């Protein structure tokens, strides 16, 4: 999309100097809300904009997708691949397809644009009035030109069409036909996502959502063995059909409020809420009212509301991170007598339009999960002490290093180490090297004190101290390495040959 010179966004990205020439920056962060201008107001999700001769890509914050939904409609790709998309998805569908009787009309607005189902519907009304509707001919693709597009009689695709540019190799468009998303469950309780059209068609399914897709993943069921599976005749649930290797089940969606009264603590809040929310400062001023509590969290209510509702937000600051939670739980339910519910499993990657950016976001989220996990400080403390201090650290030694890692600060004889940020290594290693157990000479008399190296490391350290230079035909060095119990690549786990809780005796 090319920005007009009168656009506030153009002004920020151009960053013109006194001469009027643009001074482009590599990265631009919008510090405040900007009013849309002209055609910008018709764009639901910006992607790439052109400012003069320079292109800027909008990098949205990390968001998750919920693979199960009941508010869905069919989409079909240029090559005839079928899938079922949430009608609120404004990132997957590249152009609008409208019809009036037997007349088709398409538009993409500009190369690379994306439209939601409701936006597509609005475009159809603009084209044809009340008689306009979204295309419903599965597999029928007739495209020509850019902007307002008209069908070509021979069904060919113009090389300058919406398909020619925009980043999608096999772009999608909305279909008016209905569809449904089903759950496939195998004997191990793993599930897969299946998209089914309610209209007969010749299009093939996208592999990730095909009924015979091999892409299963784990979920948490309420009780062990409670899930429907071929081995238990799908728990006799009427919503499920038994197949040889899986049960194929209809689903319902439930959206429930979690707290009706203020939670007693931030810990209770974080244990119960799993749905995140963008920071409130991303919304217009006055959108929320704030209530600071004495229980370690802040409540944000939509302006004009009172009490707690599903739309209520909670802010928690933990380990230096600010997290917003929404007061709701989203569940997928297999209906019927004895029906069962699971949490709607979040995913960073969009099943029908995966992009590398979201793979990066998911990798970052996994790293953050381990870094901020409540067990990580203790795990690091024990292992740092074992390598740099004593093999059998005392509880106080571990507790001190653990706290230094969490607080990002450690004080010894009036000297403060660290900057106060969670996981600060200056504070962590200072607490390891300067703790009383590491500096008190009397501790050396304790037979359980000191650092006992692993066999291979001990052997190498001794050989280095002896300045060993093995002869070329000497077999002893290789024989020892092959028989010391720590052969290379034969470790029993990712943490080596010794459990992280191992203590030599």
């Amino acid at each position: 999309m090319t920005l007009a010179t009168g656009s506030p966004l153009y002004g920020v990205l151009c960053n013109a100097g006194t001469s009027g020439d643009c001074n482009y920056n590599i990265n631009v962060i919008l510090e405040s809300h900007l009013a849309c201008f002209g055609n910008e107001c018709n764009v639901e999700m910006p992607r790439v904009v052109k400012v003069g001769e320079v292109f800027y890509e909008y990098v949205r914050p990390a968001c998750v997708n919920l693979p199960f939904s009941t508010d869905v409609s069919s989409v079909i790709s240029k090559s005839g691949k079928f899938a079922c998309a949430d009608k609120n998805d404004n990132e997957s569908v590249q152009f609008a397809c409208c019809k009036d009787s037997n007349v088709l009309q398409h538009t993409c607005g500009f190369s690379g644009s994306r439209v939601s189902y409701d936006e597509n519907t609005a475009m159809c009304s603009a084209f044809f009035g009340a008689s306009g509707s979204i295309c419903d001919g599965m597999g029928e693709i007739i495209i020509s030109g850019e902007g307002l597009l008209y069908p070509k009689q021979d069904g060919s695709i113009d090389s300058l069409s919406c398909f020619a540019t925009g980043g999608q190799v096999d772009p999608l468009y909305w279909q008016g036909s209905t569809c449904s998303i089903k759950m496939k469950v195998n004997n191990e309780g793993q599930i897969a996502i299946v998209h089914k059209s309610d209209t007969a068609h010749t299009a093939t399914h996208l592999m990730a959502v095909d009924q015979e897709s091999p892409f299963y993943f784990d979920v948490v069921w309420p009780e062990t063995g409670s899930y429907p599976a071929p081995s238990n005749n799908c728990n006799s649930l009427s919503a499920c059909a038994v197949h040889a290797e899986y049960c194929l089940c209809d689903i319902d969606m439930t959206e429930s409020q979690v707290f009706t009264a203020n939670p007693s603590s931030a810990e209770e809040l974080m244990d119960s809420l799993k749905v995140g929310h963008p920071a409130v400062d991303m919304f217009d001023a006055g959108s929320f009212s704030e209530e600071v509590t004495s229980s370690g969290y802040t409540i944000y209510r939509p302006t004009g509301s009172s009490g707690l509702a599903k739309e209520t937000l909670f802010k928690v600051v933990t380990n230096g991170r600010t997290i917003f939670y929404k007061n709701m739980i989203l569940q997928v339910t297999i209906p019927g007598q004895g029906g069962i519910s699971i949490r709607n499993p979040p995913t960073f990657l969009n099943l029908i339009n995966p992009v590398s950016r979201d793979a990066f976001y998911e990798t970052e989220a996994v790293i953050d999960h381990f870094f901020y996990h409540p067990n990580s400080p203790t795990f690091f403390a024990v292992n740092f002490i074992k390598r740099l201090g004593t093999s059998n650290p005392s509880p106080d030694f571990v507790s001190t290093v653990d706290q230094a890692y969490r607080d990002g600060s450690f004080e010894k004889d009036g000297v403060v180490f660290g900057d106060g940020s969670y996981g600060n290594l200056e504070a962590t290693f200072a607490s390891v090297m300067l703790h009383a157990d590491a500096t008190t000479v009397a501790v050396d008399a304790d037979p359980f004190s000191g650092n006992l190296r692993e066999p291979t490391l001990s052997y190498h350290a001794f050989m280095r101290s002896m300045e060993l230079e093995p002869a070329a035909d000497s077999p002893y060095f290789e024989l020892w390495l092959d028989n010391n119990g720590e052969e290379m690549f034969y470790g029993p786990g990712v943490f080596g040959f010794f459990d992280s809780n191992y203590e030599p005796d």
Side-chain angles (χ1 to χ4, degrees), residues 109-431:
F110 54 88
S111 296
S113 66
R114 301 291 188 269
V115 292
S116 67
Y117 185 89
D118 289 343
E119 179 65 17
N120 197 151
T121 302
M123 288 181 174
C124 294
S125 297
F127 290 152
F128 295 118
S131 62
S133 62
I134 293 178
C135 300
D136 59 4
M138 295 297 295
E140 185 176 27
I141 302 175
I142 307 175
I143 307 296
S144 176
E146 223 180 289
L148 295 181
L149 307 177
Y150 299 91
K152 298 180 71 173
Q153 296 301 317
D154 61 1
S156 62
I157 298 174
D158 193 300
S159 61
L160 297 177
S161 72
C162 293
F163 287 142
T165 56
Q168 281 189 311
V169 176
D170 194 16
L172 300 162
Y173 70 98
W174 289 106
Q175 288 286 299
S177 55
T178 58
C179 64
S180 59
I181 300 179
K182 298 179 182 291
M183 182 188 299
K184 185 169 69 167
V185 190
N186 65 16
N187 280 318
E188 287 71 42
Q190 297 174 312
I191 73 169
I193 299 156
V194 176
H195 291 189
K196 300 286 285 186
S197 172
D198 296 334
T199 305
H201 61 85
T202 59
T204 58
H205 288 70
L206 292 174
M207 175 58 72
V209 295
D210 186 79
Q211 184 168 329
E212 300 306 322
S213 164
F215 303 128
Y216 287 93
F217 57 92
D218 294 318
V219 295
V220 178
W221 296 96
E223 299 176 9
T224 302
S226 62
Y227 54 84
S231 58
N232 60 24
N233 194 35
C234 300
N235 269 352
S236 300
L237 290 169
S238 59
C240 299
V242 182
H243 293 258
E245 297 181 352
Y246 57 84
C247 291
L248 187 63
C249 305
D250 296 328
I251 57 106
D252 284 334
M253 304 297 301
T254 57
E255 186 178 286
S256 307
Q257 180 176 336
V258 178
F259 291 107
T260 56
N262 289 1
S264 59
S265 64
E267 289 72 21
E268 181 190 5
L269 188 155
M270 290 187 289
D271 286 342
S272 302
L273 299 181
K274 304 300 179 184
V275 178
H277 194 276
V280 294
D281 59 10
M282 296 180 66
F283 298 84
D284 294 332
S287 297
F288 297 91
S289 61
E290 180 183 86
E291 177 190 343
V292 179
T293 71
S294 59
S295 302
Y297 58 85
T298 303
I299 301 174
Y300 290 90
R301 298 180 178 88
T303 300
S305 65
S306 59
L308 298 184
K310 288 188 292 187
E311 293 73 25
T312 303
L313 307 182
F314 297 93
K315 182 180 78 172
V316 179
V317 180
T318 174
N319 295 330
R321 291 194 304 167
T322 300
I323 306 174
F324 287 86
Y325 293 98
K326 200 170 184 179
N327 187 29
M328 66 163 55
I329 183 171
L330 301 173
Q331 290 185 304
V332 184
T333 301
I334 300 175
Q337 185 175 4
I340 188 171
S341 299
I342 63 170
R343 179 186 170 197
N344 200 346
T347 171
F348 284 84
L349 290 173
N350 188 314
L351 287 176
I352 64 175
N353 182 36
V355 294
S356 57
R357 169 202 60 204
D358 292 330
F360 169 81
Y361 283 149
E362 184 162 6
T363 302
E364 286 291 303
V366 171
I367 294 173
D368 284 347
H369 172 75
F370 289 120
F371 181 66
Y372 290 106
H373 193 282
N375 290 346
S376 291
T378 306
F379 175 83
F380 287 133
V382 170
N383 281 277
F384 288 156
I385 297 171
K386 285 183 176 180
R387 267 60 182 182
L388 301 173
T390 177
S391 296
N392 291 336
S394 65
D396 181 71
F397 200 170
V398 174
S399 176
T400 299
V401 178
D402 174 285
Q403 199 61 49
Y405 185 94
R406 295 179 190 273
D407 297 341
S409 177
F410 176 75
E411 182 180 354
K412 180 71 172 180
D413 298 333
V415 179
V416 177
F417 300 88
D419 60 4
S421 61
Y422 174 87
N424 182 272
L425 293 183
E426 177 186 340
T428 303
F429 285 114
S431 65

